[in-house]
Amino acid sequence: MAETLTAALTLKDIARQAGVSLATVDRVLHNRPGVRPDTVRRVREAIERNSFQPHVAAAELARGRARRFAFVMPSGPNPFMQQIEDYLGEMSAWLSSRRLSVEMVATDVFDPSVLAGTLEGLSDDYDGIAMVALDHPGVRAAIDDLVDAGTKVVTLVSDVPSSRRHHYVGIDNIAAGRTAGALVGRLVGQKPGKVAIVAGSRGLRDHAERIFGFNQVMASEFAGLSVLPVLEGRDEDARSEQVLARLLSRHADIVGLYNVGAGTQGVATALSDAGRDKQVVFVGHDVTALTRRLLLQGVMDAAISQNPGHEARAAVRVLLALARGEPILREQEKIRIDIVMRDNLP
Amino acid sequence: MAETLTAALTLKDIARQAGVSLATVDRVLHNRPGVRPDTVRRVREAIERNSFQPHVAAAELARGRARRFAFVMPSGPNPFMQQIEDYLGEMSAWLSSRRLSVEMVATDVFDPSVLAGTLEGLSDDYDGIAMVALDHPGVRAAIDDLVDAGTKVVTLVSDVPSSRRHHYVGIDNIAAGRTAGALVGRLVGQKPGKVAIVAGSRGLRDHAERIFGFNQVMASEFAGLSVLPVLEGRDEDARSEQVLARLLSRHADIVGLYNVGAGTQGVATALSDAGRDKQVVFVGHDVTALTRRLLLQGVMDAAISQNPGHEARAAVRVLLALARGEPILREQEKIRIDIVMRDNLP
DNA sequence: CTCAAAATGAGTTGCGCACCTCAAAACACC
DNA sequence: GGTGTTTTGAGGTGCGCAACTCATTTTGAG
């Protein structure tokens, strides 16, 4: 246990060791011009050698101006997004005691040109941006422009992997689909039969990925179950109910159901009205007031969830770490695929 | 969106508003003596009125001395505890850039008098302590002494609810047991039969609670399954294997198995040797290299997990917030009961 | 060698607060 | 009224760094 106490070095110590002045160390640390490459190397070495870390409190204090972050979210009512906003609200004391400001920017994230237009002016106003974004060339270009302007960008829930965004905060949707598939298969048991899928639209990247993962598992491991063609409910209750009701009436041997997106209320209603809510294994996404109730009632059997509170906080922490040049705790910021059943409801 | 920019008030502003000097505000803020009750009230009101938050970076910088935390953990090899240590190691950059020191203190947490003795001297050396503690009167008294001395105390993994510890970082073990029960019951399906339980010891609080929750669910919802008396494996592989092997040979109709604690290798071996690893639904705890392999092989069907990385980080964050007098983000620090199956392995 | 440009040293200021001292004022009590 | 005690004001210092200014030295091109 003879660990030497972390010496609490300061910039001054580094300057002395490197044989330069404080100003030069400061220039190196902030990549400012006016330092010979050889000198840069010497300073970097001194920093490495002592594994020196600038005192974040001192740095933050000296900065003066506060950092401003924006969350670009879909306009219109959406319980999941609403939860993210709520959790940000709960952080307000945490944020203000760090002189951080977080603002919400609502826009039509489903229209690439509208979204790209919204993003355009933002880099002047904000140090960092978290966004729920569509994967589209126009959006990709807008993101890259933000990055070039020095703004930190993280994608939230839905990724744009082809862009140069700094980080993605969300789940692996293929794995989520696989998990849903395994749950449906296992919970159905030995019983052979058909499995239905209700999605918002096959065009949404995350939905497509989930369906892909789901089918993967069904095909490879549950030969007794045959998957019916995907129904498109457009994430709306009325339409989801309608298309599912028709399917149920045509197939008496449906034993499993995977609801990929929203429209959960409609799906549940169709099941109940057909009097088959107890026989069909029903797996969906996200823990909301509704899915919570359906789980407790036994209508839903499991929900695949990405913790929205975690996502909101992770996005803020990642933006902050990026802005400060701190390393990101990858393990901490990774969003896990939660399986939520009645007894481990959060 | 006409939200007025958070005014970034300072102590000086509060002093002016309350009509007192900086020194008096400082006294109120730190509960130092020498201020008339009426004046205290005026200052408090000014703080409330502006919902003023001291700038944590400035406070931290002005403090000077670093904060020291200790993790009191069981000595001897224990993969779960090892993981917590590893995750703390991954935080080292984060810690040192905040001038925080975290030290590990190994002790025999299962011997109340040894543990109490270890805790005794610690309050002089540390500002905060996270501990894996037994629920025992002697330990409770030692914890209360620490709290009285001004040290912040959080219990980790295993709680001592009767003590005055400031916070518990860990899961609700009854709910964990219920979740395990629901999983075994659901995954077994319609098949009737018997269910075995292997625990470390019925004397451990967390094991007892898990068994309680498990039995609760089995009794109320899976009438077709009968639970056999609990086997005690002392968390050792050899003994767990031995007792389970004997049980398997006596009961040909075992369809489910709940392994409450460690000794997982022994349990798996017993199952495999009996050639029944595919027929018996096997649910256990924690994601380790071993359980990961068993899940992938299909020997284990699900693992109930409490994210050790999250627990380590949450303990540090809670200690820090307590030491600074900041509010705790309860939602963030809550440890969830994760259901881990093959497809959502983290 | 000369001169401009680049690199560097030296120094200052201020961020917002904790923590300290010392003196002055207000107060309580007899 | 005097005495001792409590409360308050005023002020200073320093934490470690960012972000500047300005003077000086070094470098390279011609």
Side-chain angles (χ1 to χ4, degrees):
Chain A
M1 284 278 135
E3 190 91 32
T4 50
L5 261 182
T6 320
L9 291 181
T10 73
L11 274 188
K12 213 190 305 189
D13 301 311
I14 301 299
R16 194 157 25 76
Q17 279 208 28
V20 299
S21 77
L22 259 173
T24 302
V25 178
D26 188 66
R27 287 178 187 117
V28 172
L29 221 51
H30 298 88
N31 302 311
R32 274 191 272 270
V35 185
R36 226 173 317 166
D38 185 61
T39 310
V40 172
R41 197 179 42 71
R42 261 165 52 222
V43 174
R44 291 250 159 80
E45 275 176 14
I47 292 177
E48 294 292 324
R49 187 162 359 111
N50 302 283
S51 56
F52 167 77
Q53 303 271 55
H55 191 315
V56 0
E60 207 58 29
L61 183 57
R63 269 191 100 252
R65 58 201 186 75
R67 300 184 195 276
R68 303 186 63 190
F69 298 143
F71 272 61
V72 177
M73 309 273 285
S75 47
N78 182 324
F80 185 76
M81 301 301 168
Q82 185 56 52
Q83 285 185 61
I84 289 191
E85 282 203 48
D86 291 347
Y87 284 119
L88 286 175
E90 286 178 16
M91 293 180 74
S92 66
W94 190 92
L95 292 169
S96 82
S97 69
R98 284 163 182 73
R99 300 299 184 269
L100 299 175
S101 98
V102 173
E103 291 169 35
M104 309 298 304
V105 176
T107 190
D108 185 355
V109 301
F110 294 108
D111 183 328
S113 62
V114 171
L115 176 55
T118 304
L119 294 181
E120 233 168 61
L122 257 42
S123 71
D124 297 330
D125 294 334
Y126 299 103
D127 303 297
I129 296 177
M131 65 176 76
V132 178
L134 218 61
D135 193 1
H136 178 279
V139 175
R140 180 177 57 67
I143 291 179
D144 288 350
D145 286 348
L146 285 174
V147 172
D148 285 334
T151 307
K152 307 303 177 186
V153 177
V154 318
T155 48
L156 191 61
V157 178
S158 167
D159 196 14
V160 187
S162 60
S163 72
R164 302 213 313 281
R165 88 278 186 279
H166 298 90
H167 200 88
Y168 165 57
V169 172
I171 59 172
D172 174 347
N173 279 302
I174 296 182
R178 292 181 55 88
T179 304
L183 275 169
V184 168
R186 294 298 312 260
L187 292 178
V188 164
Q190 305 302 328
K191 216 171 4 176
K194 295 179 183 145
V195 174
I197 300 180
V198 182
S201 151
R202 298 198 59 119
L204 290 173
R205 184 192 183 88
D206 50 350
H207 286 200
E209 289 180 344
R210 289 174 185 178
I211 294 169
F212 178 78
F214 187 87
N215 283 328
Q216 217 178 31
V217 168
M218 289 314 250
S220 69
E221 292 179 43
F222 300 101
L225 299 175
S226 67
V227 180
L228 295 167
V230 175
L231 301 176
E232 301 207 355
R234 294 192 202 142
D235 280 357
E236 298 160 13
D237 288 330
R239 181 164 172 89
S240 296
E241 177 180 347
Q242 182 192 335
V243 294
L244 179 57
R246 217 177 48 170
L247 193 77
L248 285 169
S249 69
R250 293 206 185 149
H251 301 272
D253 55 347
I254 290 180
V255 292
L257 168 62
Y258 177 34
N259 186 33
V260 183
T264 309
Q265 177 65 74
V267 170
T269 306
L271 267 183
S272 300
D273 287 354
R276 286 155 73 178
D277 50 347
K278 304 291 179 192
Q279 293 119 55
V280 175
V281 170
F282 174 16
V283 173
H285 277 268
D286 299 337
V287 177
T288 63
L290 171 63
T291 55
R292 172 184 291 275
R293 200 178 60 230
L294 293 175
L295 284 169
L296 288 172
Q297 290 172 346
V299 175
M300 270 184 83
D301 295 279
I304 312 293
S305 163
Q306 46 189 331
N307 186 331
H310 189 183
E311 293 192 325
R313 291 183 295 263
V316 173
R317 279 192 306 252
V318 168
L319 283 176
L320 185 55
L322 287 168
R324 286 175 173 170
E326 280 189 302
I328 293 171
L329 294 175
R330 306 203 78 82
E331 183 64 31
Q332 171 172 223
E333 311 308 355
K334 182 176 175 187
I335 310 297
R336 299 171 69 145
I337 299 169
D338 294 337
I339 299 175
V340 178
M341 300 175 68
R342 201 198 49 198
D343 293 291
N344 70 331
L345 268 172
Chain B
M1 282 283 134
E3 189 93 30
T4 50
L5 259 183
T6 319
L9 292 181
T10 71
L11 274 187
K12 212 189 306 187
D13 301 310
I14 301 300
R16 194 156 26 73
Q17 279 208 29
V20 299
S21 76
L22 260 173
T24 302
V25 178
D26 186 68
R27 288 179 185 116
V28 172
L29 220 53
H30 298 88
N31 303 310
R32 274 191 270 271
V35 184
R36 227 173 317 166
D38 185 61
T39 310
V40 172
R41 196 180 41 71
R42 262 167 49 224
V43 173
R44 290 249 159 83
E45 273 176 17
I47 293 178
E48 293 293 324
R49 186 163 359 110
N50 301 284
S51 56
F52 167 76
Q53 303 271 57
H55 189 167
V56 13
E60 207 58 28
L61 183 57
R63 272 190 94 253
R65 57 200 186 77
R67 300 186 196 275
R68 304 186 63 192
F69 298 143
F71 272 61
V72 177
M73 309 274 284
S75 46
N78 181 324
F80 184 75
M81 301 302 168
Q82 184 58 51
Q83 285 186 62
I84 289 192
E85 280 204 47
D86 291 346
Y87 284 118
L88 286 175
E90 285 177 16
M91 294 181 75
S92 66
W94 190 92
L95 292 169
S96 83
S97 70
R98 284 161 182 75
R99 301 297 185 266
L100 299 175
S101 98
V102 173
E103 291 170 35
M104 311 297 304
V105 176
T107 189
D108 184 355
V109 302
F110 294 109
D111 183 329
S113 61
V114 171
L115 175 55
T118 303
L119 295 181
E120 235 167 61
L122 255 44
S123 72
D124 297 331
D125 294 334
Y126 299 103
D127 303 296
I129 295 176
M131 65 177 77
V132 179
L134 217 60
D135 193 1
H136 178 279
V139 174
R140 179 178 56 67
I143 292 179
D144 287 350
D145 286 348
L146 285 174
V147 172
D148 286 334
T151 306
K152 307 302 178 187
V153 177
V154 319
T155 48
L156 190 62
V157 179
S158 167
D159 195 14
V160 188
S162 61
S163 72
R164 303 215 310 282
R165 89 278 184 280
H166 299 90
H167 201 88
Y168 165 57
V169 173
I171 60 173
D172 174 348
N173 280 301
I174 295 182
R178 292 180 55 89
T179 304
L183 276 170
V184 168
R186 295 297 312 259
L187 292 178
V188 163
Q190 305 302 329
K191 213 172 7 174
K194 295 180 182 143
V195 174
I197 300 179
V198 182
S201 150
R202 298 198 61 119
L204 289 172
R205 184 192 184 91
D206 49 349
H207 285 200
E209 289 180 344
R210 288 174 185 178
I211 294 171
F212 177 78
F214 187 87
N215 282 328
Q216 216 177 30
V217 169
M218 290 312 258
S220 69
E221 292 179 43
F222 300 102
L225 299 175
S226 67
V227 179
L228 295 168
V230 175
L231 301 176
E232 302 207 354
R234 294 191 203 143
D235 281 356
E236 297 160 12
D237 288 330
R239 182 165 170 90
S240 296
E241 178 181 347
Q242 183 191 336
V243 294
L244 179 58
R246 219 177 47 173
L247 194 77
L248 285 169
S249 69
R250 292 205 186 150
H251 301 272
D253 54 347
I254 290 179
V255 293
L257 167 61
Y258 177 33
N259 185 32
V260 183
T264 309
Q265 177 65 73
V267 170
T269 304
L271 267 182
S272 301
D273 286 355
R276 286 155 73 179
D277 50 348
K278 304 291 177 190
Q279 294 120 54
V280 176
V281 171
F282 173 16
V283 173
H285 277 268
D286 299 335
V287 176
T288 62
L290 171 63
T291 55
R292 170 182 291 274
R293 199 179 59 228
L294 293 174
L295 283 168
L296 288 172
Q297 290 172 346
V299 175
M300 270 183 84
D301 295 279
I304 312 293
S305 162
Q306 46 190 327
N307 187 330
H310 188 183
E311 293 193 323
R313 291 182 296 264
V316 172
R317 279 192 305 253
V318 168
L319 283 176
L320 186 55
L322 287 168
R324 285 176 172 169
E326 280 190 303
I328 293 171
L329 295 174
R330 305 203 77 82
E331 184 63 32
Q332 171 172 222
E333 312 309 355
K334 182 175 174 187
I335 309 296
R336 300 172 68 146
I337 299 169
D338 295 337
I339 298 177
V340 178
M341 299 175 68
R342 200 198 50 197
D343 293 291
N344 69 331
L345 266 172

